[in-house]
Every structure is written in structure tokens, then in C-alpha cells.
Amino acid sequence: MSKTSKPLPVPMVLDDYDDWHDYACQAMDTLIARNVSFTADDLRNMTPAPSNPNWTGKVFQDYARQGLIVKTGYEMARAKARRGGTLARWIGVMRRATV
């Protein structure tokens, strides 16, 4: 560690991650239930702004890893902060119960 760097607080504070994550999961479940494709912009419009913008991507990553959503294409972001960057378009995967 250099003389100018400061150690990070341990454990690192996640601010309001748990509260925001609950809102995001409810919004994601609603988007999936609509059975239409959606983007991160749609999720952002349904939730309060996260303390860390990376949290939005984490929700998509978790849902995709669980097989609950799949990519259907790409488009330009509508959010001004994203400056027209590329966004994935997603759709929920309907799962059948197995008995």
C-alpha cells in the first residue's frame, strides 16, 4: 500500500442495498409477469435510484443466472445518463411446474 492510499472500511458499507434490492426484485417480477420484453431503463423507471448504479446490472445478472430472463436483442438506452449506450432487451422465461 502506498503512502497516499487509505484502507477501505471493513466491512464496506452497502448503504441501502437491501432496501433497494427488494424494490428492484418486485419491479423485475412485475416486468416478467407482463410477458413483454423490457430493458434496464424500464426497471429504473419503476424503482428509486440506487446508491450505486452497478446494482441495476447485478439484479439482471442474478435473474439471468437463475434462468428467469433471457436476452432477446439490443437497443439504445433512453436514459440521459446512459448517453445512448447499448442496452440488452430481456424477456421472462415462463417455467412449468414439474411433478
Side-chain angles (χ1 to χ4, degrees), residues 3-93:
K3 293 180 182 180
T4 59
S5 65
K6 295 181 181 179
L8 294 172
V10 179
M12 292 181 65
V13 178
L14 288 178
D15 299 327
D16 57 348
Y17 177 77
D18 291 334
D19 292 336
W20 181 86
H21 190 264
D22 289 342
Y23 284 117
C25 287
Q26 289 173 10
M28 183 69 83
D29 293 342
T30 299
L31 290 167
I32 291 170
R34 289 180 183 166
N35 201 29
V36 295
S37 64
F38 55 90
T39 68
D41 283 344
D42 298 315
L43 182 72
R44 284 187 202 98
N45 290 336
M46 297 174 69
T47 59
S51 297
N52 183 327
N54 293 334
W55 293 352
T56 303
K58 174 84 169 90
V59 171
F60 278 86
Q61 184 181 49
D62 291 345
Y63 272 71
R65 189 176 293 139
Q66 294 174 44
L68 300 173
I69 58 175
V70 293
K71 287 181 190 170
T72 62
Y74 295 90
E75 67 181 57
M76 290 176 56
R78 297 180 303 269
K80 187 176 181 180
R82 298 277 301 164
R83 300 181 186 143
T86 304
L87 282 180
R89 183 157 279 284
W90 300 85
I91 195 161
V93 176

